[in-house]
Amino acid sequence: MFKKQLFSQARSFATEVAASSSTSTTPITSVNAAIILSRTPIVTPEIPEFEQKYYQYQEELERRLMWTFPRWYYFKKGTVAEREFSKAQIYPIPKHRGVWFPKGVPDIKHGRDRRFKETIILPKKHQEEEATHASQASGAGDAQVSELEDVARPIKLNQRTTEADAKNDQTSLERQLSRTLYLLVKQNNGSWKFPSFQLKDNSTALHEVAEQGLRSIGGVNINTWTVSSTPAGVVKYGAKGEVVGPTSEGSTTEFLLKSHIIAGKFELQKNDNVKEHKWVSRDEIKELVNDEYFEQVGHLLAKV
Amino acid sequence: MFSHQQIRKPLLATFQQIRSKRTTAISPEVQKLVTQLSVLSAGRKQPRLLKLCNEDYVKHQIITKAWSQLRNQKKKSDEALLNKQLDSMSFACEELKKISPELYNLANKKEYGKRFPLEIRVPTEYPPRNIWYYDYVPPVAKDSKK
């Protein structure tokens, strides 16, 4: 049902409208193009506690119901690898005649007690032992480049929280790697909102005005990708600059366009209107921004 | 019973299956096939059937129900958000049409061959060593020779 609606709407978007001479009376000066510039997440989302526990529960169930590991397929009988593997495993206690097993008589097939999950212990590799010996012997020594180029080096995982998280530097792009960050700009009256730019004439498209405006306040060294030339939403302002409902006639109409920042830095240029900027997630935007503005814009922002 | 008596086969001949250990050696190709088949079959590898007591079963039911409710809730909220976004988009386009048909046409221009940029990064479980590329410089457009 939803998809059909989407296609019918798409068709209605695509139909060209003939520019008639007797158009509506709103002049171009009261139209703004705002840009919702987002930094997509760099890292997978944080899994909530209940989901983590559920995944753990399901993993345990799967382990309990898993077939016995076919070591005869992976390790050929008589090889050194097979001997080392078998040596590393803990053989379960087999059933004996006359012995009382209060927790149940063992049922062992292929070296696995069928009542429980199988735990496989990986034997320590020779190379790992050699590497540890080598590192102890040489000391600090070699430059970091050769360490990084070493293909057999152990996998070292980077931290998901960065310095920017620790300092809570809201102008940094490296903060909150698992969330989507949006560019917010402080207006002269002290309120925070998405950067918006006035349209001069009919000739330049909304998305182009928005992109050019972004570069005028943030410098040219930003690599962005505009999601679409079609506006994602609209905010109407009254005479005094307050946000006005969608049904009423406002004096200023602001069209919001979505874009992603891929590389580069937003360096605040000398400007009359914009003195501060922030990269904030949806929850932080909800706190910073006016409630009426968030009502109009909130659904366009990603929850993750 | 007696050796001189003729043993007559009954009308329905029953075949008795006897399983015994392999005495003769088999070729490596056949051995390979046998190991592969044994890995694919459940024989002697399947653990015991998991039997839950009543209390444990109730717990399992509660967990499963909670999970399905969570998933349904997430699906519903995602669909509601998408619908809201679509409504917002169509309303914005209607407003733009009222204001300026030229801008409306420019906004709805077909972007043929538009794809996600190659530079955009897919989220991974852990970040890279250099988290963000700050040194971007826009390409200089070459002046065409006349």
Side-chain angles (χ1 to χ4, degrees), chain A residues 47 72 117 200 247 252 280 284 294:
Chain A
I47 305 171
W72 62 91
K117 80 169 185 188
K200 306 236 165 65
T247 46
T252 315
V280 277
E284 289 158 352
F294 190 78

Side-chain angles (χ1 to χ4, degrees), chain A residues 2 12-13 17 24 43-44 57 64 68 72 114 158-160 174 202 221 226 229 232 236 264 299, chain B residues 38 45-46 48 60 83 85 88 95 98 100 102 104-105 107-108 114 124-127 132-134 136:
Chain A
F2 173 68
S12 73
F13 290 165
V17 175
S24 52
V43 137
T44 50
Y57 176 67
R64 164 61 181 82
T68 311
W72 62 91
R114 288 179 68 235
N158 295 318
Q159 294 258 311
R160 280 170 67 108
E174 292 183 14
N202 258 346
N221 299 334
T226 320
S229 52
K236 288 186 186 172
H299 56 269
Chain B
S38 85
K45 291 167 217 73
Q46 229 175 10
R48 271 201 196 166
H60 178 78
N83 274 316
Q85 286 177 346
S88 157
E95 291 296 308
K98 282 186 218 167
S100 158
E102 296 92 7
Y104 176 82
N105 290 334
N108 290 319
K114 180 159 189 165
T124 48
E125 281 186 24
Y126 296 94
W132 191 259
Y133 183 67
Y134 291 103
Y136 173 76

Side-chain angles (χ1 to χ4, degrees), chain A residues 135-258:
Chain A
S135 61
Q136 282 162 17
S138 64
D142 289 317
Q144 218 184 12
V145 180
S146 62
E147 270 181 32
L148 289 178
E149 285 173 354
D150 180 21
V151 180
R153 70 184 189 275
I155 297 167
K156 190 187 160 214
L157 302 168
N158 295 318
Q159 294 258 311
R160 280 170 67 108
T161 49
T162 55
E163 294 168 26
D165 277 306
K167 292 183 216 162
N168 198 23
D169 177 19
Q170 295 200 322
T171 55
S172 167
L173 277 167
E174 292 183 14
R175 195 175 69 97
Q176 297 208 335
L177 300 177
S178 60
R179 305 289 306 275
T180 317
L181 294 181
Y182 296 97
L183 181 70
L184 274 191
V185 132
K186 194 173 186 178
Q187 282 187 294
N188 284 330
N189 61 15
S191 61
W192 289 90
K193 61 189 272 285
F194 294 113
S196 61
F197 315 96
Q198 214 174 52
L199 258 81
K200 306 236 165 65
D201 49 34
N202 258 346
S203 57
T204 38
L206 283 170
H207 67 286
E208 282 168 17
V209 170
E211 292 282 320
Q212 284 163 18
L214 172 74
R215 265 123 193 128
S216 71
I217 57 167
V220 286
N221 299 334
I222 314 174
N223 190 4
T224 59
W225 182 72
T226 320
V227 174
S228 178
S229 52
T230 320
V234 67
V235 182
K236 288 186 186 172
Y237 296 95
K240 292 175 194 170
E242 80 284 8
V243 177
V244 138
T247 46
S248 43
E249 277 278 324
S251 63
T252 315
T253 328
E254 194 170 273
F255 293 97
L256 297 133
L257 290 133
K258 283 195 179 176

Side-chain angles (χ1 to χ4, degrees), chain B residues 127-138:
Chain B
R129 248 168 271 120
N130 305 314
I131 298 172
W132 191 259
Y133 183 67
Y134 291 103
D135 307 323
Y136 173 76
V137 169

